[in-house]
Amino acid sequence: MRGKLVVGNWKMNGGLAANAALLGELTSGWIGTQGREVAVCVPYPYLMQAQAALAATPIAWGAQDVSEHAAGAYTGEVSAAMLVEFGCRYAIVGHSERRQHFGDTDEVVGAKARAALAAGITAIACVGETLAEREAGTTESVVLRQLDAVLRAVAGEAPKLVVAYEPVWAIGTGRTATPEQAQEVHATLRQRLRAAGAGTVSLLYGGSVKADNAKTLFAREDIDGGLIGGASLKASEFLAIARA
Ligand code: PEP
């Protein structure tokens, strides 16, 4: 369903006291509106805290990754079934930091998306090119390769995905894609999703989104919202983005 969605990715940040303050400010500041959803993806140990703070609010929560395996000898991994027990609605898969630092391949990302969807969790599948890939003119082929791996893995379940375009060169750098650059890639992704029978998937943009650039990005035809890293750690900034 092509709804408007803004998701915070806390990354490996937080602590019980700081989270309580942030979650408190978010819940007191956000009034949900029809067709617009807000969620935060928190580190695994804080899922229970997020669940307790957000369960009675319009704000959803989720995880930043999920195992492609169901159970067993996978030390350090967390399964989709476990995330369900903590009320997760979302799981990010294929974030560029996972691809870069933890070796998540396109195939692994696809398997993670499949595992999430099979458990009833919406996988937020991230795609995006590096600066070198953009400069080499391969942006389109890179993001389509990444998206195709997810589409192959989830097959007929593709309409249940959310897809996030996050140019690697814009993540945490303060350098945002222009609305035109972002829209161009989103249109390409939308076309591929349509061909897979999933044209109504929400397509998020991520990469140094702030309160002052969110509106112009979100105004573009194929941009349905954002995946927000650094700016999601400050309630006033994140809420301003969500309102945009
Ligand atoms: C992210 O981590 O998904 C992200 C987009 O980070 P930032 O907003 O800090 O660039």
Side-chain angles (χ1 to χ4, degrees), residues 9 11 95 97 166 170-173 206-210 227-231:
N9 172 18
K11 312 198 191 204
H95 191 281
E97 289 153 15
E166 298 207 306
I171 296 180
T173 59
S208 297
V209 177
K210 304 274 184 292
L227 181 54
I228 318 299

Side-chain angles (χ1 to χ4, degrees), residues 191-244:
Q191 203 176 18
R192 188 65 124 233
L193 285 163
R194 257 194 219 111
T200 56
V201 155
S202 293
L203 264 178
L204 311 184
Y205 168 78
S208 297
V209 177
K210 304 274 184 292
D212 61 7
N213 60 23
K215 217 180 178 82
T216 49
L217 283 160
F218 298 169
R220 302 309 296 245
E221 189 187 341
D222 289 296
I223 303 181
D224 302 316
L227 181 54
I228 318 299
S232 71
L233 297 172
K234 200 168 168 222
S236 58
E237 183 81 8
F238 185 59
L239 290 173
I241 293 168
R243 276 187 221 104

Side-chain angles (χ1 to χ4, degrees), residues 89-93 112-114 116-117 121-125 160-163:
R89 189 174 305 165
Y90 296 99
I92 298 171
V93 297
K112 289 181 172 186
R114 183 173 56 222
L117 294 188
I121 293 171
T122 300
I124 302 173
K160 296 180 184 163
L161 290 167
V162 166
V163 172

